[in-house]
Amino acid sequence: MDEVARPQTGPFRRQVLVRFGDCDPAGIVFYPRYFEMFNNLVEDWHREALQFSFTEIVTTRSWGLPTVHLEADFVAPTRFSEVLSASLSVREIGTSSVSLDILLQGPDGADRVRGKVVLVWIDRRVTQSIPIPDEVRARLLAFRVSDKSATVTATREKNKT
């Protein structure tokens, strides 16, 4: 935690390789695997961009960051060995919760999965929500989408379906 989070605005981005084990007998990603991809993206984001790793959160501070809401729209199938472009943006920051938008796109740039995730900061010792730590809240703001960009994205998504 000695380092300061790198300045960034906009979504956190990662490439995700679709592995053989991610796919079902039909040769496409088995839908629960997308949720694992979401979770891996959230964990990478905390470690790399927010510089507040799950090790720090869970082991050192005895906090938790459970998912309390999760939804996904499966727009198009993804196949073994494709590389997806993943992006994560902060939609809303509450007292104890953060709402995220996750988008997985195929090599052609087309949406494959659109997700919404809500995480809540908790004290694991008493299983109670706690306010998001100030040091984390400040870092979350760099990934927050503006109302204008959220409207543009929602309009684009509506027109694609």
Side-chain angles (χ1 to χ4, degrees), residues 12 14-18 29 31 33-39 41 72-78 83-88 101-115 156-157 160:
F12 175 73
R14 270 293 158 272
Q15 298 295 102
V16 178
L17 173 64
V18 176
V29 173
Y31 75 93
R33 299 291 188 235
Y34 286 118
F35 297 142
E36 291 175 2
M37 292 175 195
F38 287 7
N39 192 71
L41 184 65
D73 292 317
F74 304 100
V75 181
T78 303
V83 176
L84 299 175
S85 296
S87 65
L88 177 153
D101 290 328
I102 294 178
L103 177 63
L104 302 177
Q105 295 176 308
D108 59 356
D111 293 359
R112 300 295 177 83
V113 180
R114 298 180 202 120
R156 187 192 79 186
E157 289 174 359
K160 282 188 174 183

Side-chain angles (χ1 to χ4, degrees), residues 64-126:
L65 196 57
T67 299
V68 297
H69 179 82
L70 177 61
E71 65 182 79
D73 292 317
F74 304 100
V75 181
T78 303
R79 302 194 181 287
F80 169 58
S81 81
E82 288 186 317
V83 176
L84 299 175
S85 296
S87 65
L88 177 153
S89 299
V90 173
R91 184 173 4 97
E92 185 177 343
I93 304 168
T95 302
S96 301
S97 66
V98 60
S99 300
L100 308 173
D101 290 328
I102 294 178
L103 177 63
L104 302 177
Q105 295 176 308
D108 59 356
D111 293 359
R112 300 295 177 83
V113 180
R114 298 180 202 120
K116 296 190 182 303
V117 179
V118 179
L119 307 171
V120 172
W121 288 81
I122 66 165
D123 180 332
R124 291 183 318 112
R125 294 168 293 208
V126 294

Side-chain angles (χ1 to χ4, degrees), residues 55-64 122-126 130:
T55 301
E56 171 75 13
I57 293 167
V58 175
T59 305
T60 306
R61 308 246 184 151
S62 295
W63 296 336
I122 66 165
D123 180 332
R124 291 183 318 112
R125 294 168 293 208
V126 294
I130 59 172

